[in-house]
Amino acid sequence: MNLQEYFSLVFSDYTLRTITLGTAILGAVTGMLGSFAVLRKQSLLGDAISHAALPGIALAFLITGAKDSNTLLLGALVSGLVGTFWIRGIITKTHLKSDTALGLILSLFFGFGMLLLTFIQKQPNANQAGLDKYLFGQAATLVESDVWLMAIVTGICLIVMLLFWKEFKILLFDADYTKTLGFNTKFIDVLITTFIVLAIVLGLQTVGVVLMSAMLLAPAAAARQWTNSLGTMVFLAAIFGAFSGVFGTAISASQDNLSTGPVIVIVASVFVVFSFIFSPSRGLLFRQIRFIKNRRDLEFQKTLSFMYHIAETHEDISHPHTIKILNNFQGFTRKTLQKLVDKNYVTLDGAMWSLTEEGFETAANLYNQNFKKHE
Amino acid sequence: MNSRDTMINTNPSNEIPASQSVDEAGAGILAVKVDDLTVAYNYKPVLWDIDLEIPEGVLMAIVGPNGAGKSTLIKAILGILKPIAGSVSIYGKPYHKQRSLVAYVPQKGSVDWDFPTVALDVVMMGTYGSLGWIKRPGVKEKKAALEALEKVGMLPFKNRQISQLSGGQQQRIFLARALVQDASIYFMDEPFQGVDATTEIAIINILKELRKAGKTVVVVHHDLQTVPEYFDWVTFLNVKKIATGPVKDIFNDDNLTKTYGINYKVSVQK
C-alpha cells in the first residue's frame, strides 16, 4: 500500500479508520496537555509517568489474568498516579531536586515493571504473550472501544481546561501569587497532573512506555516556537500532535512492517526541528539572518562614521583621502566600501576616496544619533 | 577598616529630610499584626518568634542582611509558607478572611518571563482573585488593568511579549498587577532590585502615592542609604526582629550594628 492508497482507504477501511482516529485524538490530547508540562518545566514528568505505569500493567495482568486493554490500562493509571504523587512527595518533603526525584522513580518503577514482565513470561501460561507491546506500543491493536475511551477522556479534558483556563494559566506563570489570591493551588496542580497521567496512560497501547514522553513534549515544544500566547500554543500543540498521529499512521501503514508508535514520534520530531529552524521570531534561521544583517549594518555605519571623522577635519568635506587610512580601522572591508559607493555616499578615485554631500549628511545624522544613545 | 567604620561612611546622615512627613494619623489602627511567628526550613529557624505590628498608612522598609528572612517574613504573612508557630491578623481578623485587602508583588526573578503571554495579560491576573473560580475577566477587568498599566507608565507596552520587556519594565508590570487588586495593604519583595534609576524613582513615587491614599505599604529593601528618603517606617530583621518604628526614631547606628553585625559590610556591597 502506498500513501495515496492509504488516504483513499482511510475513510472506508474500518481498521485504518480506527487506528488513524485513535492516533489523531491521542496526538491532540497529549499535545494539549504537553504544553502545560513544558511550561511548568516538567518535561521529564511524562517520561517518569509512562515508565511508572509499566508495573501497573503487569500487576493488573497478574491479579486478573485478563488481557483486555481496559483492565491493563486501569492498572497503568493506578501505578502512574502512585509514581507521580510519589515524585511530588519526594520533591516537597526532601532536599532532593525534581530531576533526581523523577529519575529515581522512573528507573525504580521501570525496573520493577521489567522484573514483573520477565516473571510473567516464565509462567507456564499461554496467555502471557503480548504484554510487551506496551513497551513500544502497537497501534494495530486499537479497536473501536479504545478510540471511544480516548475521545471521552479528551472531551472531559477539554471541558475542564476551558472551565479552569484562567486558573491553569496563572498557576503556570506564578504559583506563589496564585496562592495569595486565595486559589487552592494544590487542587489546580493535582487537576493538571491527573490529566497528564490520564493522557499518557491512554497512549501506552499505541506509542508505548518508552516513547510516550515524546508525544507529550514534541508538539508543545514545536508550538511554542510559533506563538507568544498560551491559548494559541495549546491549540497549535493539539494540531501538531494530531497531524503527527495521522501522518505517522499513514507512513507506517503504507510501508509494511514499520511500527506506528516510533513513526509518529519521528513525525512529531520533524515538526520540532522544522519549528526550531523556521519560526520567524524564535527560529534559528531568522535569528541568524537578523544577526548577520545587524552586523553588516553596524560595519557599514561604523565605517561611514569613521570617514565622517576624517572628513570633518577638512574644510572641504569631499577632500580625497587614501583608502589605506581605512585599514587602520577595525571592521573595515572592501565590501563595505563598495556598498558605500553603491549608496552614493562615497566616491572613489583610484586609491583615494571622498565623502559626498549626501554621505556627509547621513553620517552626521548617524553620528548624532549614536552620540545621543551614549549620553 | 572594621565594619562599623564602613557603616558610618556609607550612611553619612541619619537625619530625615525636612520634606519627609511621618504619617502619625494612621498610627492608631493596626493594619497587620504578627504574633510569635516562627518559620523553619527543616531544623534551622529562618524566623524566630517575630512579633510585628504595622500601623495603617505607613510606608515601611524591612531591612536586614542576606538570609535574614525578609522575603520569608512576607511569604509567611501571606500564607505562601507555612509557619511552625504564630499567627497573622489583618485588621484584626485572620489573614485568610482578609485576602482581598492584601496585594503581593513577588521578586521579579521568581517567575519565568519567557512564559507565552503579554504585559496586559499579566496585569489582568490581578483581577483573578476578586473574580474567583472559573469566571473569566471581562470588560471591567480589562479597563482596570489598562488603568494600572497607565499608572506605571507601561500602557504603550501592553501588547508586548513579557520576555521582550526590560527588567525595570517587568518590575512595573508586577507593580501594576498588584495595583489592579486595589488592596489596602501591599507587600513587595525587593521591587527596586535590578532596576535603573528612572524606574526606581517611578516606583517610589507610586508607593508614596499609595501611602497618601491611606494604604499601607511594606517593602523588602536592600539599599540602606535610601531608607530615610523613601520610607517613614522601618523594621530591622535578622532572624529575630531587632527593632521596628518610625525611621526618624530608630534608623540609627545602634540598630544597624545590631542587625548587620560584622556581616554589614558584605551586604551594602551590591
Side-chain angles (χ1 to χ4, degrees), chain A residues 261-304:
Chain A
V263 178
I264 294 176
V265 169
I266 285 173
V267 173
S269 311
V270 170
F271 273 109
V272 175
V273 172
F274 182 83
S275 304
F276 272 105
I277 296 174
F278 294 106
S279 142
S281 62
R282 299 166 73 98
L284 295 173
L285 181 70
F286 288 94
R287 206 157 60 189
Q288 195 61 31
I289 289 173
R290 271 198 301 273
F291 178 74
I292 292 169
K293 191 182 171 298
N294 283 346
R295 203 174 52 189
R296 286 229 183 99
D297 285 354
L298 201 67
E299 266 166 18
F300 179 81
Q301 290 176 3
K302 267 162 73 186
T303 311
L304 188 63

Side-chain angles (χ1 to χ4, degrees), chain A residues 178-225:
Chain A
T178 312
K179 226 177 197 174
T180 70
L181 293 180
F183 289 102
N184 184 343
T185 49
K186 212 170 176 180
F187 172 74
I188 310 172
D189 188 36
V190 167
L191 207 60
I192 296 179
T193 313
T194 306
F195 274 107
I196 292 177
V197 175
L198 262 176
I200 285 174
V201 167
L202 278 181
L204 291 181
Q205 194 183 351
T206 319
V207 180
V209 163
V210 179
L211 292 174
M212 197 49 218
S213 72
M215 288 296 290
L216 205 63
L217 304 183
R224 180 66 188 95
Q225 295 297 310

Side-chain angles (χ1 to χ4, degrees), chain A residues 41 95 162 166 169 224, chain B residues 42 112 114 121 132 136 181:
Chain A
K41 314 249 179 312
H95 274 294
L162 287 175
K166 166 175 121 257
K169 179 156 84 177
R224 180 66 188 95
Chain B
N42 297 312
D112 174 15
D114 197 33
D121 226 24
R136 299 286 184 94
Q181 288 180 254

Side-chain angles (χ1 to χ4, degrees), chain A residues 123-268:
Chain A
Q123 296 270 25
N125 178 349
N127 199 23
Q128 92 286 71
L131 277 192
D132 51 347
K133 79 173 181 202
Y134 288 97
L135 277 179
F136 295 104
Q138 205 168 354
T141 60
L142 280 178
V143 292
E144 205 180 307
S145 66
D146 296 327
V147 177
W148 272 114
L149 185 68
M150 283 181 186
I152 290 166
V153 172
T154 305
I156 296 171
C157 172
L158 201 65
I159 291 168
V160 170
M161 194 180 70
L162 287 175
L163 271 181
F164 294 102
W165 180 256
K166 166 175 121 257
E167 286 77 11
F168 282 7
K169 179 156 84 177
I170 191 171
L171 181 82
L172 291 173
F173 178 62
D174 193 346
D176 278 355
Y177 182 72
T178 312
K179 226 177 197 174
T180 70
L181 293 180
F183 289 102
N184 184 343
T185 49
K186 212 170 176 180
F187 172 74
I188 310 172
D189 188 36
V190 167
L191 207 60
I192 296 179
T193 313
T194 306
F195 274 107
I196 292 177
V197 175
L198 262 176
I200 285 174
V201 167
L202 278 181
L204 291 181
Q205 194 183 351
T206 319
V207 180
V209 163
V210 179
L211 292 174
M212 197 49 218
S213 72
M215 288 296 290
L216 205 63
L217 304 183
R224 180 66 188 95
Q225 295 297 310
W226 298 97
T227 174
N228 282 325
S229 137
L230 179 63
T232 317
M233 177 179 166
V234 171
F235 179 73
L236 273 181
I239 299 283
F240 288 167
F243 271 99
S244 306
V246 173
F247 286 143
T249 311
I251 292 169
S252 92
S254 51
Q255 313 289 324
D256 279 341
N257 294 329
L258 275 186
S259 59
T260 314
V263 178
I264 294 176
V265 169
I266 285 173
V267 173

Side-chain angles (χ1 to χ4, degrees), chain B residues 214-225:
Chain B
K215 316 273 186 183
T216 310
V217 184
V218 181
V219 179
V220 170
H221 194 56
H222 243 302
D223 182 9
L224 290 172
Q225 280 141 86

Side-chain angles (χ1 to χ4, degrees), chain B residues 59-61 105-108 167-168 171 175 188-208 217 219-223 226-227 230-231 270:
Chain B
L59 180 46
M60 177 194 270
V105 179
Q107 273 187 31
K108 197 177 73 219
Q171 191 65 60
L175 189 61
M188 307 190 180
D189 202 345
E190 303 208 23
F192 301 114
Q193 194 184 43
V195 304
D196 61 13
T198 327
T199 306
E200 181 157 336
I201 292 166
I203 293 176
I204 193 63
N205 284 338
I206 290 167
L207 300 196
K208 285 181 172 171
V217 184
V219 179
V220 170
H221 194 56
H222 243 302
D223 182 9
T226 53
V227 169
Y230 289 173
F231 300 96
K270 270 210 160 174

